[in-house]
Amino acid sequence: MNRYITTTLPYVNADPHIGHAQEFVQADALARAWRLAGDDVFFSTGTDEHGQKIYEAAQKAGQEPQAYVDHYAGEFKRLKEALGLSNDAFIRTTDPRHVAAAQEMWRRCAAKGDIYKKTYAGLYCVGCEAFKTEKEIIDGKCPLHPNAELKEISEENYFFKFSDYQEKLLGYLERPGVIIPEWRRIEAINFVKGGLEDFSISREAARLSWGIPVPGDEEQVMYVWFDALTNYISTLGWPADAEGDFKRFWEEGTTLQVAGKDQVRFQSLMWQAMLLSADIKNTDTVFYHGFITSGGQKMSKSLGNVINPLDLVATYGTDAARYILLRHLSPVEDSDLTLEAIREHYTAHLTNGLGNLVARVMKLAEANLGSDDITTMETQPLSADSLDDFQFNKAMDLIWAHATRLDEYITNEKPFAVIKDDPEEGKKMILSCVTQLHAIASMLAPFMPSTSDTILTAIRENKKPENLFPRI
Ligand SMILES: [Zn+2]
């Protein structure tokens, strides 16, 4: 099967945060699990680099916008490497290839009659990059950005006929599985039933130059959302190479987008309406993860409870960071994470848990088994469909349950003692332990790829590896 998977593109007006890291490793675990199952996978991520917020942040930093976004794209690439992501593409929305795609998307929607111009006056929130309606304003402020002043703006903009897509979107949302978790699909259906308003998809270039020019109207640039959403297909080479990866993975494959829970309107509605307008296949599934709090509160510099994903990797290592993000956070609900909890999980489940088990089994194997024993060992096939329900944490619980059982087996059945009285039986028992460990390492591959590799190599070479998770 051809499978396409993508994260949302982080907006590069700030450093990467732990929520980005969660989304990245969720997508990466799925991509890896599918590849192991024999699927052809295209895994994409990247950075969203236009818009007013970025323009203003660059000005504040005294930089040209391009230099500013180059710096942050670098930071996100650094995080991607720190987390060991196996992505096949990294698309930046300032990439000329993407710019051409966003303009083609515009032309298609315009040709359909879905784009029109009108004068718009209203209160604009730079934080949201959107005009706010009466009911979205509380005490004269955007509740999402209470520190940003709303700006009174009147200008001519292009609009997208979102209201025309109400019925079609309801048709799209009919299929269970088009949004995961299910309750967010219901949320999306209710939102559409509440009525869709056409939305503005351009800004006056005189006011905001940091955007993709609207085809045929140099006085307007695209609204950052309209531009950025097209990345999901520009990364596949659309439209220039529409017969290549785009055809293979988007049109003929199954497509999955991974996004944060605040993205339903953008990913499952606006983007899907754009695809409908351009006569391009809709996304098969959008999976929404929850948010991460720390100590019951939103992470913030002033509270001092920010968990920086790069620091997490620097302290505990790539696989331990992936472990924390995949096993100790809910895949779809909001989760709480503190530095104390991370340390406890690391010590209990990695240092004393898996790390200790690997040392225990491999010490026995190295002392008592020969290479013949290893090469003739019958290994168990990996169950590859375990992530189809997106329950990363439960899939890992299962692996740790295997590990605990193996540990208890060694403690209770004492192969290390048996081998002294009955070498043949003892050897059989130890070989069985190694077989179990092999299964555990195989199951770990999508989640903790380098740990999995290290264990499998240790088994193949019949040599106890270096301490996997040193005490910290
Ligand atoms: Zn706002």
Side-chain angles (χ1 to χ4, degrees):
M1 198 182 346
N2 299 340
R3 305 184 81 152
Y4 170 83
I5 181 166
T6 181
T7 67
T8 50
L9 300 194
Y11 196 62
V12 294
N13 63 336
D15 285 321
H17 60 71
I18 194 87
H20 297 125
Q22 180 188 20
E23 184 168 316
F24 289 166
V25 297
Q26 284 183 333
D28 188 66
L30 288 164
R32 287 176 184 272
W34 294 340
R35 284 192 205 105
L36 287 164
D39 291 329
D40 255 333
V41 177
F42 191 104
F43 169 23
S44 184
T45 184
T47 39
D48 178 359
E49 305 184 352
H50 289 121
Q52 179 116 357
K53 261 190 288 187
I54 285 172
Y55 184 77
E56 288 183 357
Q59 273 194 324
K60 218 169 130 189
Q63 288 181 330
E64 286 300 315
Q66 189 64 52
Y68 180 86
V69 297
D70 285 350
H71 165 76
Y72 277 107
E75 289 301 291
F76 279 94
K77 282 187 176 164
R78 208 151 72 83
L79 177 61
K80 164 187 107 63
E81 255 132 58
L83 292 169
L85 297 198
S86 63
N87 56 306
D88 302 287
F90 189 95
I91 183 81
R92 297 179 55 184
T93 59
T94 51
D95 186 329
R97 189 162 75 96
H98 171 80
V99 171
Q103 290 180 323
E104 176 61 15
M105 177 58 90
W106 182 286
R107 282 187 209 101
R108 296 247 186 141
C109 296
K112 213 31 160 346
D114 287 334
I115 294 178
Y116 63 94
K117 211 172 186 183
K118 78 166 182 187
T119 302
Y120 194 83
L123 290 169
Y124 188 83
C125 173
V126 170
C128 296
E129 294 278 8
F131 284 102
K132 298 270 119 178
T133 59
E134 201 80 12
K135 61 181 176 185
E136 288 174 311
I137 298 171
I138 295 171
D139 295 336
K141 306 263 182 177
C142 165
L144 299 175
H145 302 94
N147 296 325
E149 286 297 324
L150 290 169
K151 291 182 185 173
E152 177 100 50
I153 287 174
S154 166
E155 65 175 42
E156 263 209 314
N157 285 167
Y158 286 99
F159 277 72
F160 179 78
K161 277 191 193 165
F162 202 31
S163 55
D164 273 10
Y165 284 89
Q166 192 149 330
E167 287 312 308
K168 280 186 179 160
L169 282 172
L170 286 174
Y172 165 69
L173 293 169
E174 230 166 54
R175 184 174 64 77
V178 80
I179 290 181
I180 290 173
E182 170 65 7
W183 82 80
R184 292 209 189 283
R185 184 174 73 94
I186 307 301
E187 203 178 277
I189 290 172
N190 289 336
F191 184 86
V192 176
K193 283 183 175 165
L196 300 178
E197 279 178 44
D198 296 352
F199 58 86
S200 155
I201 54 170
S202 74
R203 301 288 181 258
E204 276 178 6
R207 184 165 69 77
L208 172 69
S209 56
W210 189 239
I212 297 179
V214 165
D217 186 346
E218 60 198 23
E219 285 174 5
Q220 298 270 326
V221 298
M222 283 181 209
Y223 171 48
V224 63
W225 277 103
F226 191 91
D227 144 14
L229 288 167
T230 304
N231 93 82
Y232 301 124
I233 56 176
S234 70
T235 192
L236 288 164
W238 184 89
D241 182 26
E243 293 301 305
D245 285 338
F246 172 71
K247 183 175 182 189
R248 210 164 131 225
F249 290 99
W250 192 277
E251 295 190 306
E252 295 173 355
T254 60
T255 54
L256 173 73
Q257 295 181 221
V258 179
K261 67 171 186 180
D262 59 341
Q263 291 282 310
V264 177
R265 228 173 90 194
F266 299 106
Q267 309 301 332
S268 288
L269 304 180
M270 282 161 63
W271 170 230
Q272 302 309 322
M274 286 164 64
L275 289 168
L276 285 164
S277 177
D279 289 317
I280 295 171
K281 198 185 112 175
N282 283 114
T283 310
D284 291 316
T285 300
V286 187
F287 167 79
Y288 294 98
H289 60 80
F291 284 170
I292 306 171
T293 56
S294 190
Q297 286 178 291
K298 198 175 161 183
M299 289 186 202
S300 79
K301 275 188 190 139
S302 54
L303 286 173
N305 63 347
V306 175
I307 301 174
N308 179 312
L310 287 165
D311 291 347
L312 184 63
V313 173
T315 307
Y316 293 98
T318 297
D319 276 15
R322 292 172 63 103
Y323 166 84
I324 296 290
L325 295 168
L326 289 167
R327 188 176 181 211
H328 295 289
L329 297 176
S330 160
V332 293
E333 307 271 1
D334 289 351
S335 308
D336 200 72
L337 195 62
T338 60
L339 291 174
E340 295 73 36
I342 291 170
R343 181 173 293 264
E344 281 168 24
H345 293 316
Y346 176 84
T347 305
H349 305 296
L350 296 179
T351 307
N352 297 341
L354 183 65
N356 187 48
L357 176 70
V358 171
R360 214 175 172 196
V361 172
M362 290 317 299
K363 200 173 141 201
L364 278 174
E366 193 178 327
N368 299 293
L369 300 181
S371 56
D372 281 1
D373 299 313
I374 299 300
T375 47
T376 55
M377 181 177 77
E378 278 184 33
T379 53
Q380 295 165 345
L382 162 75
S383 75
D385 59 355
S386 55
L387 282 183
D388 281 2
D389 58 359
F390 301 90
Q391 300 293 309
F392 307 95
N393 51 349
K394 295 214 172 104
M396 293 184 85
D397 285 348
L398 216 63
I399 301 173
W400 260 261
H402 279 296
T404 304
R405 268 205 303 280
L406 176 53
D407 210 33
E408 285 169 357
Y409 173 82
I410 299 171
T411 303
N412 298 335
E413 306 301 326
K414 303 183 175 56
F416 47 86
V418 172
I419 198 148
K420 287 179 188 141
D421 304 327
D422 184 347
E424 200 181 324
E425 179 59 19
K427 217 167 140 175
K428 226 167 81 188
M429 290 169 77
I430 293 168
L431 197 56
S432 148
C433 292
V434 178
T435 310
Q436 294 294 319
L437 187 64
H438 189 281
I440 289 167
S442 303
M443 286 188 282
L444 274 176
F447 309 101
M448 302 170 71
S450 90
T451 303
S452 167
D453 260 2
T454 305
I455 301 172
L456 293 175
T457 304
I459 292 173
R460 203 164 46 242
E461 295 173 351
N462 197 30
K463 194 171 182 310
K464 181 169 113 40
E466 292 288 312
N467 201 351
L468 284 178
F469 303 103
R471 221 159 271 286
I472 286 172

